Amino acid sequence: MNVETRYDTIWTNARLATMAGDAPGLGVVEDGVVAARDGRIAYAGARGDLPAGEAAAVVDCSGRWITPGFVDCHTHLVFAGDRAGEFERRLAGASYADIAASGGGIAATVAATRAASEDDLVAAALPRLDRLIADGVTTVEIKSGYGLDLETERRSLAAARRLGRERDVRVTTTFLGAHALPPEAKGDKDAHVEAVIAMLPRLAADRLIDAVDAFCEGLAFSPDQVARIFETAHALGLPVKLHADQLSNLGGAGLAARFGAQSADHLEWTDAAGVAAMAKAGTVATLLPGAFYFLRETKLPPVDLFRAHGVPMAVSTDCNPGTSPMTSLLLAMNMAATCFRLTIDECLLGVTRHAAAALGLDHEIGALEAGKACDLAIWSIERPAELVWALGALPLHARIRGGR
Ligand code: DI6
Ligand code: FE
């Protein structure tokens, strides 16, 4: 007997950038459809090849473009307060490191975050999340790291989880206990690393952690200190990622690769050996042009080496109050193209398939492929390059999460 296929919704008369397969391009389908069933993509491809079936709803996209819902794979969305005053000091000549050394910087945000309730943190983060959603984001990674003690890290991660319930967006959480030194550590970095190692099993038991991150930098934590945290993460079965080689080369990329990190992020100072190690480990290079721009950095990440070694590049906002107070993933793509010379295709892969891989979710999201979650962004544009080209535009027509 021939049982007809059933669909919940079919989006038809669309142009698709599927991002599917391993090809370097966008996987364009000019006359395409996406069909959803039970929240998943049942079919994505040429209209003529759609298996016949009944659909509860058919949406005519009038030639608009459909991409996978965007993935912002590196944010610090949950924090209290702002750092506009520090920005003024930097404009007057102080450096990011000067401000950190004088007790400002991350420490100022830690003080404000410790004083905030979970409700306060959710309320402060919601406008930022809504702005990301307006750019077609359907998945966002959110790091802790402005609490630095057990209670505030727990509250920050719980606030991040709650954001995923307050809005129709998939949230993944990352524990960044080794982000900075809290005042109670009194300058003793090893003591804070021990505190972080003690927090890990407790937060993991509360199911608040999807991945573990650290800031490997002279003004933050050494490779040895990070390695101790990563060993504990692995013992708990948690994947790791790393803020690596942002302001100097401490071998962060190689360290991340040694622990099979999902991603190494920033990477302005990464050398050829670091890139080769990442390629071998399958670690994604997450580029954060907002921080590069905002700190007026000049050292460019080794994009040609990533290309030559086939290291996938993701692009993210790094939304945080100190170095990238940016809530637009479209703008991050423009900066990646303008500052780092990524191509249009690299930018778009960087916020879809490669960003999904940076979260270990490439089996689930990041491409228009049968079996993946039906997370879509539908755009009022004539060509994909417009998404990278325009500064401050809002080209999103509709956003679909889980087929709805
Ligand atoms: N690298 C960064 O650029 C941010 N965190 C990190 O590890 C800075 C965060 C801040 O200044 O608040
Ligand atoms: Fe960051």
Side-chain angles (χ1 to χ4, degrees):
M1 199 179 68
N2 220 349
V3 181
E4 267 226 327
T5 311
R6 169 188 66 82
Y7 302 114
D8 295 325
T9 306
I10 294 177
W11 291 268
T12 187
N13 192 17
R15 289 176 277 181
L16 312 182
T18 65
M19 313 290 171
D22 294 322
L26 302 181
V28 169
V29 179
E30 281 292 338
D31 185 8
V33 302
V34 176
R37 184 170 51 241
D38 301 331
R40 307 220 147 242
I41 296 173
Y43 174 83
R47 173 153 43 177
D49 297 337
L50 173 71
E54 284 293 314
V58 178
V59 179
D60 184 340
C61 294
S62 308
R64 290 189 181 87
W65 281 84
I66 303 182
T67 65
F70 282 179
V71 178
D72 196 352
C73 66
H74 178 139
T75 85
H76 310 247
L77 216 61
V78 170
F79 62 86
D82 71 86
R83 302 255 287 280
E86 167 184 326
F87 180 57
E88 272 191 288
R89 276 180 69 192
R90 284 209 298 113
L91 291 175
S95 74
Y96 182 70
D98 293 339
I99 289 165
S102 69
I106 295 177
T109 302
V110 169
T113 302
R114 286 181 172 183
S117 68
E118 187 184 308
D119 286 348
D120 294 338
L121 292 174
V122 169
L126 269 176
R128 297 190 274 271
L129 178 60
D130 285 336
R131 183 58 192 84
L132 292 178
I133 284 172
D135 274 1
V137 169
T138 50
T139 297
V140 58
E141 183 257 19
I142 302 178
K143 300 175 196 299
S144 67
Y146 290 117
L148 306 180
D149 60 27
L150 180 64
E151 282 323 306
T152 317
E153 288 292 301
R154 192 200 304 278
R155 205 157 67 243
S156 301
L157 292 164
R161 285 268 192 255
R162 223 174 93 194
L163 288 167
R165 298 192 292 272
E166 301 262 345
R167 292 292 184 270
D168 197 4
V169 66
R170 181 192 319 260
V171 168
T172 73
T173 58
T174 300
F175 173 55
L176 178 57
H179 191 198
L181 206 57
E184 63 272 16
K186 295 191 171 44
D188 186 345
K189 291 185 182 182
D190 284 317
H192 183 62
V193 167
E194 288 314 310
V196 166
I197 286 170
M199 290 178 214
L200 257 167
R202 305 182 64 172
L203 297 170
D206 293 343
R207 304 207 156 277
L208 288 170
I209 307 181
D210 296 324
V212 175
D213 195 348
F215 190 12
C216 185
E217 194 62 64
L219 54 79
F221 298 93
S222 73
D224 281 350
Q225 290 164 335
V226 170
R228 300 212 301 273
I229 292 167
F230 281 4
E231 275 154 19
T232 309
H234 274 188
L236 292 164
L238 295 169
V240 301
K241 48 218 296 117
L242 188 63
H243 282 72
D245 308 335
Q246 178 187 6
L247 306 170
S248 62
N249 181 8
L250 297 185
L255 172 67
R258 181 150 69 80
F259 282 89
Q262 292 175 333
S263 68
D265 304 38
H266 287 287
L267 303 173
E268 279 82 349
W269 289 82
T270 299
D271 58 20
V275 176
M278 287 175 64
K280 228 172 136 196
T283 296
V284 174
T286 297
L287 304 182
L288 305 169
F292 175 90
Y293 161 87
F294 197 73
L295 294 178
R296 280 181 267 117
E297 297 290 339
T298 53
K299 180 95 167 80
L300 289 164
V303 167
D304 282 334
L305 284 174
F306 293 135
R307 288 179 183 134
H309 284 83
V311 173
M313 291 179 279
V315 173
S316 171
T317 61
D318 192 17
C319 176
N320 79 72
T323 64
S324 189
M326 172 161 77
T327 46
S328 168
L329 195 52
L330 294 176
L331 183 55
M333 283 199 291
N334 179 275
M335 289 181 177
T338 305
C339 300
F340 296 165
R341 292 285 174 246
L342 262 60
T343 66
I344 300 294
D345 290 9
E346 285 170 337
C347 288
L348 288 162
L349 286 163
V351 300
T352 54
R353 192 169 89 211
H354 295 164
L359 299 178
L361 289 174
D362 41 331
H363 58 284
E364 177 70 11
I365 54 171
L368 306 180
E369 272 176 318
K372 295 211 157 92
C374 188
D375 292 358
L376 315 177
I378 305 178
W379 305 97
S380 296
I381 53 170
E382 279 305 318
R383 55 190 64 77
E386 285 178 51
L387 297 175
V388 180
W389 157 75
L391 297 168
L394 289 167
L396 187 71
H397 171 71
R399 184 179 156 281
I400 310 299
R401 248 279 290 166
R404 278 182 298 179

